[in-house]
Each structure stands twice: as structure tokens, then as C-alpha cells.
Amino acid sequence: MLHQHFTWCRLEIDARPNGRSGPLRCRHVCPGAPSHAPGRSSRGCRVSKPAWRTTIVNLGWVLGDKAFAMVAGLLVFGLIARAFGPQGAGHFSYALAMLQIALGLSLVCSATAVLPRLCSMQAAMAGALANIFTVRMAASLVSLVVMAIFAAATVTDPMRRNVTLVMLLAVPLIEPFAIIAAYWNSRNHNRPNVVARSTGLLVRLIALAAGMALGAPPWLLATTWVLEAALNSAIQWHQLRRALPGRRFARYVRQRRSMVYLRFGARFMVGSWLHVLYTRLDRLLLGERLSSDNFGLYAVAMQLLDVWVQVASLVALSMSTAFLYRLIREGAAMRALLLGAAAMAAIGLLGVLGAWWLGPWMLRIVFGPQFLGSQPYLVAAMAVGVLLFVNQVVTITLATLNRPALIAMLWGVSVLVTALVVVLGVDSVGAMIGPIAMATGLLTGWLTLIVVLLCFRPRADAA
């Protein structure tokens, strides 16, 4: 009977931010449909599609979105690489790594932490979104200031420093509005996110091509990332107002409620910071230890890995709202972990095969013959990508089980081991030490997690 409820209607739980849940209530609510107004009967709502059909439709939107993002990303970096060479491509890749770290620092209420709660919310959704948005906006502004000071003080190359400072302006336009994307993921409805992201990417590509044709300097080209973020956030806000009409979100902002979400999100904050640092640590360390040209070849491959890992994130979120959360809450966490990990590993292997077969052709056509030296780094990076795909399910499972300390431990061990391997091996191995260090770090993190779980056996209750 419980399985039928999850198949034909969304099981609605009165979840609270502190992790406790109230009585179980079941309503016929169509996934992806706007919330019913208070007092309005949901009797006229159509019975939802079977779970497998909803999953396929949403995966179609996600994969289509990421296919376009990968093509647009290749074109963008192809233009930059052809215009500025490996050295200029390395500057932009370094700036993007700094941008991602700044976004990670503002992850006070990340999607990993709040998505299981949003999935079970209905009437309180508008208030939750308003207060989480406020918390994330404040964190984004603090992160922007901190990272700008850090970049101005540590980056010595003028071009790299200027590009980095301009890109950091996109932080408050990206991170706070990501909670709207999390809302659509919680409704198992990915089309609005795809429309917003794809529109922003297309405008950035057009603006970048126009700027290059007019001979714009690198720092001015970096403003296209800010333009993309502004357009994306405007579209997301418009979509949310249509989904929740008549809501004046500023009315819902309360200091006490925002502090509740801040305290709850802070439990996952350390893990989120360490995760972002892990995925960019290799470039931060190697950027000052390799020649500009060699680092540019390596950075292009790792930038392509970043694009590919975004597929992992979105596929995992779609998979979670479709069946992972249900299995975990039914006490089948190990089954959810194994099924999800197998599916994600299979998708991740496609990246390795693509890099092996199509890598040289893609590098020559998109970036130019001078980037053929990136091929070994690209294959190694995509091999690390398989581990990152699987790890999406690991972290989602731990977050749903309300285990932020284990998430922080996993990424903390990964960061320490990665940094140690890079520093000790860069002189003898060169740039290839980056993927080796990342794989060694993550595998060590998994091993540590398994040992802790076997030795201490933490209580596996649902969040």
C-alpha cells in the first residue's frame, strides 16, 4: 500500500527544519504542479504519471540541458583558447575555479541539505523559499567580499586577477536563486530549470562571440558570466512567481525563521565547503607550480570535467526525487545506494569512452591543434569523473539520513589526501598528479567512511 501511494500520489510529510517530522499525511498531488492554494481541495487533481515515466521525462530534460551546456561550454572555451592560447585559457579556468569556490562558501542552505525537506513541504513552501533565499543572499555577499580580497592579495598575474575579480561579481546572482532550482527539483519538474539555464548559456555565448569579434579585452569578456547569471536569475524569479501566484515573498521573511534555516544549513555547510574545495584544489595548487602553457593544457581538461560533473549532479537530483528518497525513508538505504551507484557509474563511464574515442578530434576542432596535449589529462579527468558520479549518490544518502558530520569527514579526508599527494608528487609526475591525487583522495575518503560506519555504526534514522 505504501508503494502504491508513492507511485500514484506524492506522500506529503509535515517536515520541520530541525529534522523532525510530524504526522504522515497523503494527498493526491501531481508532481510538478503548483501548490494548491490554502483551503482549496485537491480532489480535482489528476492522478500522477507512474514513477518510471516521470523519471524518464525528467531525465530527458536534464540530459538535453546538459548536452546543450556541454556544447556551449566547448564553444565558449574554444573561442577563448583560440584567441588567447593555453596561457589565456588557464587564466579563465583559474578564475572559474575561484568563482566556484566562492559559490561554495555561500552554500549555507545547500540543495543537498534542504531538498529532502522541500520534497515533503506544501503549504509552507513560500515561507521556506523566502527565508532560505535571504540566508543564501547574505552568505553570498560575504563570500564575494572575502574571495575578492583573497584574489586581489594572492593573484600576481594582472590578466588573471582582473578576470577573477569580474567573475566573482556573479556570486550573488547565482547562489541565492539556486533555491528556486531546488524548488523545481523537489516538485520533480526540471523543465523550468532547463529553460532558465539554457537561455543564460545561449546569451553568454552570443555576447562572448560578439565581444571577441570587436576585440574586447579579457576582463570585459568575463562580464558575460555576470550577464548570464543575471538573466538566469530573472527567468527563475519570473517562473517562481507564476508557480506561486499572489505571494509577496518579503512578507514571509522573519529573522527567527531565517535563523532556524541558518542553524540547520550550517550543519551541512562544512561538508559543502570541503566538497567545492576538493573539486578545485588541484588547479589552485598546480596553478603556481606548473608553467603557464602546461597549466593551460591541464586546466582545459579539468574544465571539461567540471561540465561533465554537472550532469552527475542534475541526474542524481532527478533520481533522488523519483525513488531514492522513497527507498531511504522505507529503510532500504543500502538498496538505494547500490542501485543509484550502479546507474551513476554506468553514465560516468560514457565520459571515459567519449574522452578516449573523441577526445583528440574534439580538442583539435574546438580548441585548436595546440591543445592536443590535453588528451591524456582529459582521459584521466573523466576516469575521476566516474568516482564523482558515484559519490553523488553517497552524499545524497548521507544527507537524507541526516548525517552532515559524515559528509564533512568524507570531504575533509579527501581534501587532505589530495593536497598531500599533489604537493609531494608534482615535481616527479607533473600535471598528471592532479587526477591521481583526486582519485586517491576520494577513495581514501570512502575507505574512512566505511571504517567509521563499521566501527561506530551510527543510527541510520531518516532526517
Side-chain angles (χ1 to χ4, degrees), residues 40-217:
R40 178 180 172 183
S41 172
S42 61
R43 197 172 298 171
C45 181
R46 293 180 300 172
V47 176
S48 65
K49 297 178 181 179
W52 66 269
R53 289 183 59 188
T54 303
T55 302
I56 290 175
V57 170
N58 280 286
L59 282 177
W61 278 105
V62 168
L63 294 178
D65 172 43
K66 298 321 297 179
F68 176 75
M70 292 175 67
V71 172
L74 287 175
L75 292 175
V76 165
F77 268 87
L79 291 173
I80 292 174
R82 289 180 178 274
F84 302 107
Q87 185 175 4
H91 291 334
F92 274 87
S93 182
Y94 185 91
L96 283 172
M98 293 286 284
L99 172 61
Q100 293 300 324
I101 291 175
L103 293 173
L105 289 176
S106 60
L107 278 176
V108 177
C109 292
S110 64
T112 301
V114 302
L115 188 56
R117 281 82 190 164
L118 295 182
C119 284
S120 58
M121 282 187 184
Q122 194 67 17
M125 180 64 73
L129 294 177
N131 286 275
I132 295 173
F133 179 91
T134 302
V135 171
R136 293 176 74 145
M137 176 59 77
S140 296
L141 294 175
V142 173
S143 176
L144 169 61
V145 173
V146 171
M147 292 304 296
I149 294 174
F150 176 81
T154 60
V155 180
T156 57
D157 188 283
M159 179 188 295
R160 181 179 295 183
R161 181 174 59 249
N162 293 338
V163 171
T164 300
L165 291 175
V166 171
M167 281 194 184
L168 288 174
L169 296 176
V171 172
L173 297 173
I174 296 175
E175 197 53 49
F177 292 89
I179 190 60
I180 302 178
Y183 163 75
W184 290 115
N185 285 323
S186 73
R187 306 298 94 175
N188 210 11
H189 186 39
N190 290 322
R191 183 174 61 185
N193 291 338
V194 173
V195 171
R197 278 192 296 263
S198 299
T199 303
L201 280 171
L202 182 60
V203 170
R204 190 228 293 177
L205 176 60
I206 295 174
L208 186 72
M212 286 187 169
L214 295 174

